[in-house]
Amino acid sequence: MTLNQIVKGQIARITNISGEDAISIRLMEMGLIDGERIQLLGKAPLGDPLEFAIRGYRLSLRLNEARCVEVELV
Amino acid sequence: MINSPAAPQKKMTIAIIGNPNTGKSTLFNLLSGGHAHIGNFPGVTVEKKVGHVRWEGRELDLVDLPGTYSLAPRSIDEMLAVDVLLGRQKEVDQPDAIICIADASNLERNLYLFSQILDLTIPVILVLNMCDLARSRGIQIDAEGLSQKLNVPIVCTEAHHGVGISALKEAILQIEPGCRHQAQQLFPESFYTERKLLQDKLQTDEKQSPPDFLVDRLLLDVGGYVESYFEHHAQNGLIDHLHEARTRLKESGCAVPAMEARLRYAWAREQLNGVLTHPDDHQETTSDKIDRWLTHPVLGFLFFFVLMFFVFQSVFTWAGPAMDYVESGQGVVEEAAQALVGPGPLRSLLVDGVIAGVGGVLIFLPQIVILYFFIAVLEDSGYMARAAYIMDRLMRSLGLSGKSFIPLMSSFACAVPGIMATRVIENRHERLTTILVAPLMSCSARWPVYTLFIAAFIPNIVYFSIAGSPLVSLQGVVLFAMSSIGALIAIPVAWFLKRICFKGEVAPFVMELPGYKWPSPRHVFYRVYNRAKSFVVKAGTLIFATSILIWAAGYFPGDHTEQFKVETRLEAIDTEIGEIETQLASAEELEPAALKGLEGQQAELSAEQEVLAEKQNQISSELVENSFLGQAGHFIAPVVKPLGWDWKIGVGVIASFPAREVIISTLGTIYSLGGDVGEDDEGLIGSIRSATWPDGSKVFNIPVAVSIMVFFALCAQCAATLMVMRRETNSWFWPVVSFTYMTTLAYLGALLSYQVGMLLI
């Protein structure tokens, strides 16, 4: 499954980030590395973007970016 | 001895870098004492902030670099930081040391950038800022232990409270310029082999191989700025070699770009292991609790709109009195100048050119200061990121992102602070799009134009009223339509810019939501002060020059002797009438005959005054007609004819290049009223209503009025905006583009409104 599919409050483990484009590189620079745990904290009022907790900070991603991140639930 | 003033040492250059939201600018302000030279680096939109300081007899240049998460440049703007750090930027010396500012409450991610900085081999000081926030979250850091592990000096600070600044200064003074450390070997051996091969390859066609750091970036950043630079500048075969090198790296199990992030984060975690303890990562913080309300689907939206309403309400209501002060101050100075200098070219230059020009700049200052105060508070508290988060979905339909919302919203008050506020947008194309559409938002300078023409030509028909007070009237509808037309046009313009002109990768929306904190008054003050100062100094000089040019065009080449004679006589009459009035005030002591004589004198003078005033208006309007400006008006008359305009309106449009509202005083002058008219001046309304073409038909009707309003809604007649645009984009290209496209739109819009309007009536 991908990161856009987890529900609020759920914690997932990143398994892979696909692609070599600017989005994937930026995500990796922000610490989204395989094996890392990430939690969905909430959604913006219109359902997009999303707010995540990772490595002790809060990160906001659009559904589109979240789709690049493959995860598994823990 | 490092601090001995007896042995003057070379000036040191210190670069300050760090992730966004780490309190970097607060620290920079504290270190530089708030005195910084602000400008632009040539060729990029990056602000150059350099603070010159002297500590204990030692001279230092502090260079503040833009906040960044990584030193892997993807654009020319991001490349700037790398160029400065490598000493490849001619504007500043190569740094002798780097201060890397990290958020102590979020150290692991901040160490990513730090590990890239270590690769530069320049001495570095790691600053752990916001230590108080980290402590309050239960994070404990053994700074000493970490310093030993990393082998760099570490200083703990709380920039918001000014804590740790002297320790940081001391650490900076301990640095020995020119010293270099060994590069760490973070990557597997195969990477360094490839780097060597690539260096050899580069050496053959360039005299000197670029520094290791750049070769690393070339190899690591797939599609990055360094790669695209070499694609254009290196000999054939280099890029093929690069691709082969990356393939070989992938085969050996260290595929770029993923390898770098994986290894650096693993390194960061290892460094922190044993020196940093923190509670469970997924524990709810105070910020999370606040966010449950502020980003709530319903309440979050509501709060956002109430806040925005409050902000813009304040900008209008608070700026109003301040703007009145500026205006009355301008009046006082004008009177003083008139008292000092008699009628003549010098007075005209002073009053109509210099004072009017400077006043035209200063009048924007209250709005800029107030809006910037709110922006600084919202940014420093962390709410700005939430505003972008909430608005992103809506703004995306325009091809923009949430970060464009505040700048565009601000532009409804005034495009100048709006364009300045686009600094929060990191993506260059998105920022340029926002800058280009910002002047389309209906700013407060357009209101005088709308109110004048609506009052004069739109019938006051009330469609809907409650208890006698009109709720919906035709005048209100037209005003609303005029205020929204620009924003509506901005939608296709933004779409066109994003899809056609700035084609390419969609900017990723990867945004940190920093923890909420109380804004620091000192930081807010610096932000507002610096913005206001740079506006007055940089934009001011240029608007000032433009105003003088327009003044000269309206003044020359006419012969003003007659006008000055009339003016002198009018002023003499004023004084005489004043004297008579004083005498009349003490009327009881006067003989009835003397009283009558005085009254007769007064009446005579008043009559002469009236005649002269009319004559003056006539002379003024003749002078304007024959001036260069008037000639230009006649010259463009055929161009504006299809819009239903006569040459006088043409002159008004040219003269209002420095600021839209100038059209009113220009129309006032040309329609023989003298320059001093306001938008609700009955006389001006009356005279434009009765203005006629040479054949006797009326110049103004509803389609002409609408055509003028539409023109001013869409045109770029604002020197301040164009100058700020030049300053923010560091190029004349964008103001020229903006002026051209907006004038074209304005012309077409006015043409359409007039022609369609004429068919309807």
Side-chain angles (χ1 to χ4, degrees), chain B residues 252-295:
Chain B
S252 71
C254 29
V256 290
M259 170 184 74
E260 184 186 14
R262 201 171 290 142
L263 288 174
R264 289 199 196 277
Y265 271 107
W267 174 87
R269 188 155 283 177
E270 195 194 302
Q271 301 306 309
L272 293 177
N273 193 15
V275 293
L276 183 137
T277 50
H278 59 92
D280 179 23
D281 261 359
H282 300 290
Q283 187 193 28
E284 196 178 51
T285 63
T286 321
S287 269
D288 293 337
K289 284 177 194 143
I290 300 172
D291 261 345
R292 264 197 304 194
W293 297 103
L294 293 191
T295 62

XYZ file of all heavy atoms in Angstrom, chain B residues 252-295:
353
model
N 26.679 -1.881 -8.207
C 27.465 -2.254 -7.021
C 26.648 -2.052 -5.739
O 27.187 -2.090 -4.639
C 28.750 -1.426 -6.964
O 28.431 -0.087 -6.647
N 25.335 -1.813 -5.904
C 24.464 -1.776 -4.724
C 24.365 -0.424 -4.044
O 23.893 -0.344 -2.916
N 24.873 0.639 -4.663
C 24.659 1.961 -4.044
C 24.084 2.923 -5.066
O 24.773 3.827 -5.551
C 25.917 2.519 -3.402
S 27.446 1.992 -4.135
N 22.812 2.713 -5.372
C 22.142 3.513 -6.394
C 21.961 4.943 -5.907
O 21.567 5.181 -4.771
C 20.789 2.900 -6.720
N 22.303 5.908 -6.792
C 21.962 7.289 -6.499
C 20.545 7.523 -7.025
O 20.146 6.867 -7.980
C 22.957 8.280 -7.167
C 24.292 8.195 -6.496
C 23.046 8.074 -8.650
N 19.759 8.452 -6.497
C 20.081 9.328 -5.375
C 19.779 8.741 -3.990
O 20.136 9.356 -2.984
C 19.154 10.521 -5.638
C 17.957 9.928 -6.316
C 18.459 8.769 -7.099
N 19.157 7.556 -3.950
C 18.690 7.030 -2.657
C 19.839 6.809 -1.671
O 19.671 6.987 -0.468
C 17.930 5.724 -2.876
N 21.035 6.462 -2.212
C 22.152 6.129 -1.336
C 22.484 7.265 -0.371
O 22.717 7.039 0.808
C 23.371 5.807 -2.195
C 24.646 5.693 -1.399
S 26.076 5.424 -2.447
C 26.302 7.033 -3.159
N 22.510 8.484 -0.922
C 22.950 9.599 -0.088
C 22.054 9.778 1.132
O 22.532 9.838 2.269
C 22.976 10.906 -0.897
C 23.529 12.046 -0.059
C 23.463 13.407 -0.732
O 22.755 13.543 -1.742
O 24.116 14.329 -0.219
N 20.740 9.831 0.896
C 19.810 10.049 2.001
C 19.933 8.926 3.024
O 19.993 9.162 4.235
C 18.390 10.132 1.467
N 20.009 7.699 2.520
C 20.052 6.540 3.424
C 21.303 6.610 4.304
O 21.229 6.467 5.515
C 20.047 5.261 2.580
C 19.601 4.050 3.329
C 19.417 2.874 2.395
N 18.261 3.035 1.521
C 18.251 2.654 0.245
N 19.332 2.127 -0.310
N 17.160 2.804 -0.477
N 22.456 6.873 3.667
C 23.704 6.870 4.425
C 23.792 8.050 5.392
O 24.230 7.895 6.529
C 24.901 6.895 3.472
C 25.130 5.590 2.719
C 26.230 5.743 1.693
C 25.461 4.462 3.700
N 23.340 9.218 4.936
C 23.448 10.387 5.819
C 22.508 10.266 7.013
O 22.867 10.616 8.133
C 23.147 11.675 5.049
C 24.246 12.038 4.058
C 24.160 13.505 3.653
N 24.937 13.783 2.463
C 26.246 14.020 2.453
N 26.926 13.981 3.591
N 26.884 14.269 1.325
N 21.305 9.760 6.789
C 20.393 9.596 7.925
C 20.882 8.515 8.879
O 20.723 8.640 10.095
C 18.966 9.325 7.448
C 18.196 10.609 7.254
C 17.897 11.100 5.995
C 17.799 11.361 8.362
C 17.219 12.292 5.832
C 17.120 12.562 8.203
C 16.832 13.021 6.937
O 16.167 14.217 6.788
N 21.476 7.461 8.317
C 22.020 6.411 9.178
C 23.154 7.005 10.020
O 23.257 6.748 11.226
C 22.535 5.257 8.325
N 23.966 7.849 9.365
C 25.073 8.505 10.069
C 24.528 9.394 11.187
O 25.011 9.354 12.315
C 25.874 9.335 9.058
C 26.948 10.171 9.656
C 28.232 9.790 9.927
C 26.847 11.550 10.068
N 28.933 10.830 10.470
C 28.109 11.924 10.572
C 25.824 12.489 10.048
C 28.366 13.211 11.068
C 26.070 13.762 10.537
C 27.334 14.111 11.031
N 23.486 10.186 10.871
C 22.904 11.099 11.856
C 22.406 10.322 13.073
O 22.657 10.691 14.222
C 21.773 11.901 11.226
N 21.732 9.201 12.814
C 21.172 8.426 13.922
C 22.295 7.863 14.781
O 22.213 7.861 16.003
C 20.292 7.307 13.366
C 19.519 6.584 14.438
C 18.271 5.947 13.901
N 17.204 6.921 13.683
C 16.014 6.608 13.164
N 15.746 5.372 12.809
N 15.108 7.533 12.992
N 23.346 7.441 14.103
C 24.477 6.863 14.834
C 25.135 7.924 15.723
O 25.500 7.643 16.860
C 25.467 6.322 13.802
C 26.506 5.393 14.371
C 27.611 5.194 13.347
O 27.280 4.731 12.234
O 28.771 5.535 13.643
N 25.270 9.145 15.194
C 25.895 10.212 15.983
C 25.066 10.529 17.226
O 25.619 10.827 18.279
C 26.039 11.500 15.149
C 26.860 11.370 13.886
C 28.247 10.801 14.122
O 28.985 11.269 14.980
N 28.588 9.752 13.376
N 23.755 10.456 17.075
C 22.888 10.844 18.178
C 22.706 9.715 19.190
O 22.273 9.958 20.316
C 21.518 11.290 17.650
C 21.551 12.581 16.841
C 20.185 12.910 16.290
C 22.068 13.736 17.698
N 23.044 8.523 18.748
C 22.891 7.367 19.613
C 23.741 7.531 20.873
O 24.943 7.723 20.801
C 23.322 6.113 18.824
C 22.900 4.841 19.554
O 22.071 4.906 20.471
N 23.482 3.726 19.162
N 23.083 7.523 22.016
C 23.828 7.626 23.268
C 23.971 9.043 23.793
O 24.277 9.248 24.958
N 23.788 10.062 22.937
C 23.897 11.439 23.433
C 22.552 12.160 23.428
O 22.441 13.258 23.949
C 24.927 12.272 22.630
C 26.329 11.764 22.850
C 24.581 12.298 21.165
N 21.554 11.520 22.823
C 20.242 12.178 22.777
C 19.184 11.184 23.227
O 19.114 10.070 22.713
C 19.943 12.667 21.360
C 18.629 13.436 21.161
C 18.863 14.630 20.272
C 17.530 12.573 20.571
N 18.396 11.596 24.204
C 17.272 10.740 24.591
C 15.999 11.524 24.387
O 15.936 12.725 24.670
C 17.368 10.322 26.072
O 17.581 11.487 26.845
C 18.472 9.331 26.297
N 15.014 10.857 23.848
C 13.747 11.548 23.623
C 12.604 10.609 23.924
O 12.748 9.389 23.817
C 13.664 12.067 22.184
C 13.786 11.003 21.153
N 12.719 10.363 20.620
C 14.886 10.473 20.560
C 13.141 9.469 19.736
N 14.448 9.517 19.681
N 11.464 11.172 24.307
C 10.306 10.310 24.563
C 9.778 9.753 23.237
O 10.304 10.076 22.186
C 9.297 11.275 25.196
C 9.689 12.634 24.713
C 11.159 12.591 24.461
N 8.758 8.948 23.329
C 8.159 8.338 22.145
C 7.860 9.396 21.086
O 7.256 10.426 21.353
C 6.859 7.627 22.574
C 6.171 6.993 21.378
O 6.879 6.732 20.371
O 4.950 6.762 21.462
N 8.292 9.139 19.853
C 8.112 10.055 18.731
C 6.653 10.384 18.469
O 6.325 11.448 17.981
C 8.656 9.402 17.456
C 10.047 9.913 17.173
O 10.524 10.760 17.941
O 10.642 9.452 16.189
N 5.792 9.442 18.728
C 4.403 9.626 18.325
C 3.528 10.123 19.462
O 2.315 10.018 19.430
C 3.867 8.331 17.709
C 4.676 7.939 16.501
N 4.621 8.638 15.333
C 5.593 6.965 16.327
C 5.458 8.100 14.461
N 6.062 7.083 15.041
N 4.196 10.693 20.467
C 3.449 11.293 21.564
C 2.892 12.639 21.095
O 3.552 13.362 20.348
C 4.424 11.510 22.718
C 3.785 11.962 23.983
C 4.861 12.447 24.964
O 5.917 12.901 24.574
N 4.561 12.328 26.234
N 1.685 12.971 21.531
C 1.070 14.217 21.086
C 1.708 15.421 21.787
O 1.790 15.465 23.003
C -0.433 14.176 21.384
C -1.185 15.237 20.616
C -2.678 15.163 20.864
O -3.072 15.125 22.043
O -3.435 15.149 19.885
N 2.184 16.379 21.017
C 2.798 17.569 21.605
C 1.742 18.656 21.774
O 0.614 18.525 21.290
C 3.903 18.124 20.703
O 3.300 18.532 19.479
C 4.967 17.091 20.406
N 2.121 19.748 22.452
C 1.201 20.881 22.609
C 0.777 21.409 21.237
O -0.382 21.742 21.020
C 1.890 22.013 23.390
O 2.671 21.422 24.419
C 0.892 22.966 23.978
N 1.773 21.486 20.324
C 1.467 21.953 18.966
C 0.406 21.084 18.309
O -0.500 21.591 17.648
C 2.725 21.890 18.109
O 3.410 23.092 18.178
N 0.514 19.765 18.490
C -0.486 18.865 17.907
C -1.864 19.162 18.461
O -2.861 19.137 17.745
C -0.127 17.403 18.214
C 1.138 16.977 17.503
O 1.480 17.614 16.490
O 1.783 16.023 17.964
N -1.899 19.459 19.784
C -3.197 19.745 20.410
C -3.792 21.016 19.819
O -4.985 21.076 19.526
C -3.026 19.886 21.930
C -2.842 18.533 22.601
C -2.591 18.680 24.084
C -2.070 17.362 24.652
N -1.065 17.559 25.695
N -2.934 22.042 19.634
C -3.434 23.295 19.040
C -3.913 23.014 17.615
O -4.953 23.498 17.183
C -2.328 24.371 19.043
C -1.878 24.669 20.460
C -2.813 25.647 18.354
C -0.672 25.571 20.558
N -3.131 22.196 16.904
C -3.468 21.899 15.512
C -4.789 21.164 15.356
O -5.448 21.274 14.328
C -2.353 21.077 14.861
C -1.437 21.970 14.034
O -1.832 23.114 13.761
O -0.347 21.518 13.673
N -5.160 20.394 16.385
C -6.451 19.690 16.283
C -7.576 20.688 16.092
O -8.585 20.411 15.473
C -6.681 18.858 17.546
C -6.241 17.418 17.348
C -6.833 16.538 18.384
N -6.483 17.048 19.717
C -6.637 16.357 20.828
N -7.117 15.147 20.787
N -6.317 16.871 21.992
N -7.402 21.903 16.646
C -8.412 22.954 16.467
C -8.131 23.782 15.228
O -9.017 24.062 14.452
C -8.448 23.869 17.708
C -8.849 23.109 18.924
C -8.031 22.676 19.928
C -10.153 22.642 19.247
N -8.747 21.982 20.860
C -10.058 21.942 20.468
C -11.416 22.752 18.623
C -11.152 21.357 21.088
C -12.508 22.168 19.232
C -12.369 21.482 20.454
N -6.871 24.190 15.054
C -6.564 25.160 14.000
C -6.550 24.544 12.602
O -6.607 25.267 11.623
C -5.234 25.864 14.287
C -5.247 26.771 15.510
C -3.984 27.614 15.561
C -6.465 27.678 15.538
N -6.460 23.224 12.497
C -6.572 22.614 11.174
C -7.793 21.700 11.113
O -7.906 20.838 10.257
C -5.305 21.817 10.780
O -5.131 20.749 11.705
C -4.071 22.682 10.786
